[in-house]
């Protein structure tokens, strides 16, 4: 790969290694090793595919697609696949595909999931679900679930080694070792029963994570329909009356910031503010490090939405796929309320300073600017003067003018019947439709609301688990209500909602 060209692309997009690695779906150190040449990759590798896909997603998100296409000499109006292919050809222009073949690794990683490995081996041996089930004395339906990825065998059950033993016996009986070695791209003498069992039964952590995400997401979807009947606590029970009446104009450090936020949201909810304008690119410790505060914050956000307060948020798009997945799960009920307008800023962000601007127009505002990393001892201003509030509103509007909508809403959703490329899955009263450029989540019963996610990273978060969603449509059984957690009904909080940043 032309490392100089990779560096040019990253400089054109004006992103740091951490951010572009997030778009690519791997660690920053991995990208650094690729840039330095410490790690060699080929054009047909999965790493190259992730790298090119991340570059494309980053260019779209930053409005730099024209610059990207200009560098790789292709038309910005071309399809995403054509553009990615042009990027690949440009980056790997000097690759010699006739180089000496690589030394094989003993632990071939040709198949990412247990279900993928099992299906390929069963196809190779010509063994059916029912035949394999008879050999290991199990029900054919469980083999079907393992093969499709609906379920994954646990170590406690001991069934995976039995499957491996039965399949190896069939491979040996039919003399298919050579075919297996060719499929795995390994020398035949690497293969024996011990190696095969270890490869087939290798821990399937990534698939478990995808399944867990899919189940939690479905739980969030199911929670939307039943959320209206939840009773929220009294505001003063959350904040205390003294904090609502506090007249301080400066709060210091993380604990002070938390108090300022409780005062800000508590008064907004109590006085039924018309709208709240939120932005922050600070780190998330102020929200995630203290579970008690996080629950109070979540309850007040829920009360604001239930009281009809419209919330406009400019989100912080510096999160990886897992963090975005958590965001979708934790915030879908709020978005389905129709009270949230969300945006993301298109201007490249620098990391020397962090900023916060939480504004209840004409009433009060929390404002802060810090050298990044010093927020724990920083100063947070609580503005109430008319002049200061006018200036804060002007600053927020200036930021909004260089932002784009992250999620759009339609009150009369239509199914994507005219889109042959769309993939649709159903869960109760929720329909999820995914195509190359957007995700549409529709609530099919009143209130009939459809949310459209258009940011490339949001689309990736949905696409990464759509197969798992399709496979585990189990309904609300054994699923935690995301709305209950959001409103503090459950004591245990879910994972951090990091993608939307601290302000959301």
């Amino acid at each position: 790969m032309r490392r100089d060209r990779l560096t040019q692309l990253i400089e054109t997009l004006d992103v740091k290694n951490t951010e572009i690695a997030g778009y690519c779906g791997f660690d920053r150190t991995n990208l650094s090793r690729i840039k330095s040449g410490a790690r060699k990759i080929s054009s047909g590798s999965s790493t190259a595919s992730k790298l090119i896909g991340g570059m494309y997603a980053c260019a779209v998100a930053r409005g730099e697609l024209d610059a990207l296409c200009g560098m790789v000499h292709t038309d910005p109006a071309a399809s995403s696949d054509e553009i990615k292919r042009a990027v690949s050809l440009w980056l790997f222009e000097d690759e010699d595909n006739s180089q000496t073949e690589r030394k094989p690794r003993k632990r071939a990683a040709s198949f990412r999931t247990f279900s993928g490995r099992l299906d390929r081996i069963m196809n190779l041996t010509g063994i059916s679900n029912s035949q394999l089930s008879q050999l290991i004395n199990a029900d054919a339906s469980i083999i079907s679930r393992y093969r499709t990825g609906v379920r994954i065998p646990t170590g406690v059950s001991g069934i995976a080694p039995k499957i491996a033993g039965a399949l190896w016996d069939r491979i040996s009986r039919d003399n298919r070792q050579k075919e297996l070695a060719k499929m795995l791209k390994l020398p035949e003498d690497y293969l024996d029963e011990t190696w095969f069992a270890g490869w087939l039964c290798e821990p399937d952590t990534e698939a478990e994570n995808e399944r867990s995400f899919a189940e939690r997401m479905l739980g969030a979807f199911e929670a939307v329909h039943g959320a209206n009947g939840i009773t929220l606590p009294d505001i003063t029970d959350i904040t205390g009356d003294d904090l609502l009446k506090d007249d301080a104009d400066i709060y210091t450090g993380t604990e002070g910031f938390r108090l300022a936020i409780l005062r800000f949201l508590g008064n907004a909810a109590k006085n039924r503010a018309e709208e709240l304008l939120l932005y922050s690119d600070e780190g998330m410790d102020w929200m995630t490090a203290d579970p008690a505060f996080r629950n109070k914050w979540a309850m007040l956000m829920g009360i604001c939405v239930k009281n009809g307060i419209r919330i406009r948020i400019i989100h912080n798009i510096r999160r990886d796929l897992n963090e975005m997945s958590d965001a979708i799960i934790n915030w879908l009920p709020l978005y389905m309320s129709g009270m949230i307008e969300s945006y993301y800023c298109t201007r490249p962000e620098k990391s020397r300073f962090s900023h916060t601007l939480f504004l209840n127009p004409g009433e009060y505002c929390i404002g802060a600017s810090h050298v990044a990393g010093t927020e724990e001892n920083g100063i947070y201003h609580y503005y109430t003067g008319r002049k200061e509030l006018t200036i804060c509103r002007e600053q927020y509007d200036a930021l909004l003018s260089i932002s784009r909508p992250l999620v759009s809403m339609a009150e009369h959703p239509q199914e994507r019947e005219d889109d042959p490329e769309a993939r649709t899955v159903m869960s109760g009263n929720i329909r999820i439709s995914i195509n190359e450029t957007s995700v549409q989540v529709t609530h099919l019963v009143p209130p009939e609301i459809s949310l459209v996610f258009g940011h490339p990273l949001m689309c990736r978060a949905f696409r990464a688990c759509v197969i798992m969603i399709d496979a585990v449509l189990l309904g609300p059984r054994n699923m935690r209500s995301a709305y209950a957690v959001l409103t503090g009904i459950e004591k245990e909080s879910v994972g951090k909602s990091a993608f939307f940043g601290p302000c959301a």
Side-chain angles (χ1 to χ4, degrees):
M1 184 186 72
R2 293 282 300 274
R3 292 186 287 114
D4 59 325
R5 291 188 173 182
L6 175 60
T7 300
Q8 289 178 46
L9 277 181
I10 294 175
E11 290 177 350
T12 297
L13 297 176
D14 192 22
V15 290
K16 295 186 176 180
N17 285 0
T18 301
E19 187 170 355
I20 196 64
Y23 279 99
C24 297
F26 46 64
D27 190 79
R28 173 187 58 80
T29 56
N30 194 13
L31 180 63
S32 296
R33 292 177 65 218
I34 295 171
K35 287 178 64 180
S36 67
R39 179 176 181 184
K40 308 292 185 183
I41 63 173
S42 62
S43 59
S45 66
S46 61
T47 301
S49 178
K50 289 181 179 180
L51 179 65
I52 293 165
M55 290 286 182
Y56 175 80
C58 181
V60 173
R62 288 178 164 273
E64 298 288 350
L65 189 59
D66 287 351
L68 175 71
C69 291
M71 182 165 288
V72 301
H73 312 298
T74 193
D75 185 354
S79 69
S80 60
D81 286 342
E82 290 172 331
I83 295 173
K84 292 174 188 176
R85 192 177 305 113
V87 173
S88 178
L89 291 172
W90 188 74
L91 282 175
F92 294 91
E93 185 177 29
D94 295 337
E95 183 174 276
D96 183 2
N97 295 320
S98 64
Q99 292 175 354
T100 57
E101 42 181 324
R102 304 168 184 167
K103 293 181 179 180
R105 293 178 297 174
K106 189 169 182 179
R107 299 287 293 178
S110 301
F111 306 98
R112 184 174 58 87
T113 64
F114 176 81
S115 61
R117 296 188 290 269
L118 177 62
D119 182 62
R120 289 294 294 275
I121 298 301
M122 289 180 67
N123 288 334
L124 174 69
T125 59
I127 194 170
S128 67
N129 293 346
S130 60
Q131 288 172 328
L132 181 56
S133 68
Q134 291 172 14
L135 291 173
I136 65 171
N137 194 27
D139 192 277
S141 63
I142 194 68
I143 301 299
S144 175
R145 292 189 180 97
Y146 290 157
R147 195 172 182 179
T148 58
V150 174
R151 290 188 60 182
I152 301 171
T154 63
V156 177
S157 68
I159 196 170
K162 294 180 181 179
I163 292 174
L167 290 174
W168 181 258
D169 287 345
R170 181 60 65 95
I171 290 169
S172 300
R173 188 197 75 179
D174 297 341
N175 294 316
R176 293 185 176 272
Q177 293 93 329
K178 183 175 293 187
E179 293 177 61
L180 175 61
K182 183 177 180 180
M183 185 172 72
L184 297 179
K185 299 180 180 178
L186 289 172
E188 187 177 346
D189 58 9
Y190 270 33
L191 302 181
D192 57 32
E193 184 172 5
T194 301
W195 185 94
F196 177 77
W199 171 77
L200 182 67
C201 304
E202 191 172 7
D204 204 2
T205 304
E206 186 174 355
E208 284 280 15
N209 289 341
E210 286 185 356
R211 174 182 168 80
S212 174
F213 167 48
E215 289 181 344
R216 289 186 294 131
M217 181 182 285
L218 290 173
F221 293 158
E222 294 292 344
V224 173
H225 184 54
N228 293 333
I230 293 178
T231 301
L232 294 168
D234 186 80
I235 296 170
T236 55
D237 291 339
I238 303 172
T239 63
D241 193 51
D242 290 343
L243 183 58
L244 293 180
K245 296 177 180 177
D246 191 8
D247 61 358
D249 54 9
I250 289 179
Y251 293 85
T252 59
T254 303
E255 288 303 319
F257 186 31
R258 288 170 179 155
L259 290 175
I261 291 170
L262 294 179
R263 175 185 169 190
F264 176 90
L265 291 176
N267 278 305
K270 180 180 178 181
N271 299 321
R272 296 180 180 269
E274 291 185 11
E275 66 174 344
L276 300 180
L277 308 178
L278 308 178
Y279 171 81
S280 179
D281 52 33
E282 287 194 24
M284 297 196 59
D285 285 351
W286 65 265
M287 183 171 69
T288 60
D290 184 346
F293 168 79
R294 185 185 185 283
N295 282 337
K296 290 180 179 180
W297 172 85
M299 284 188 282
L300 289 173
M301 287 289 288
I303 294 172
C304 285
V305 168
K306 194 163 186 177
N307 285 352
I309 299 173
R310 303 199 69 85
I311 300 174
R312 184 177 296 171
I313 307 174
I314 301 175
H315 290 306
N316 178 17
I317 311 291
R318 288 185 303 157
R319 309 300 174 188
D320 64 22
L321 188 60
N322 290 330
E323 291 172 326
M324 289 167 52
S325 300
D326 281 337
I328 295 170
I329 293 166
N330 292 327
W331 292 101
L332 185 66
L334 277 178
Y335 275 91
M336 295 300 279
S337 72
M339 301 303 294
I340 307 290
E341 291 182 36
S342 61
Y343 302 84
Y344 67 96
C345 188
T346 59
R347 183 85 41 98
E349 180 187 9
K350 306 301 180 184
S351 59
R352 294 177 183 174
F353 296 91
S354 66
H355 311 84
T356 291
L357 197 62
F358 292 177
L359 178 65
N360 180 351
E363 300 294 334
Y364 32 81
C365 176
I366 301 174
S369 178
H370 305 106
V371 173
T374 68
E375 295 85 358
E376 186 175 353
N377 297 310
I379 297 175
Y380 295 85
H381 295 271
Y382 202 99
Y383 299 113
T384 56
R386 295 298 173 190
K387 182 177 180 180
E388 290 90 342
L389 291 175
T390 298
I391 293 172
C392 289
R393 180 58 190 261
E394 290 173 351
Q395 291 179 342
Y396 191 92
D397 287 343
L399 190 61
L400 190 63
S401 70
I402 55 173
S403 299
R404 295 177 181 173
L406 180 66
V407 182
S408 59
M409 184 180 68
E411 295 183 357
H412 302 289
Q414 299 292 325
E415 189 167 1
R416 294 179 170 180
E417 297 176 349
D418 58 342
D419 186 354
E421 301 299 324
R423 172 74 180 278
T424 300
V425 293
M426 300 289 295
S427 174
N429 295 314
I430 298 295
R431 181 179 66 232
I432 312 162
S433 183
I434 303 174
N435 65 14
E436 178 66 22
T437 59
S438 65
V439 177
Q440 181 175 289
V441 179
T442 302
H443 197 219
L444 299 174
V445 296
E448 294 183 2
I449 294 174
S450 184
L451 302 178
V452 179
F453 299 83
H455 191 280
L457 289 183
M458 295 292 283
C459 295
R460 276 189 59 203
F462 275 95
R463 284 198 299 268
C465 68
V466 66
I467 296 176
M468 296 302 299
I469 293 175
D470 213 3
V472 298
L473 290 177
L474 304 177
R477 184 171 68 254
N478 299 322
M479 295 181 184
R480 180 187 299 173
S481 165
Y483 192 88
V485 174
L486 174 68
T487 53
I489 304 303
E490 293 186 12
K491 294 181 181 179
E492 181 182 355
S493 64
V494 295
K496 60 182 179 180
S497 53
F499 166 61
F500 286 148
C503 67

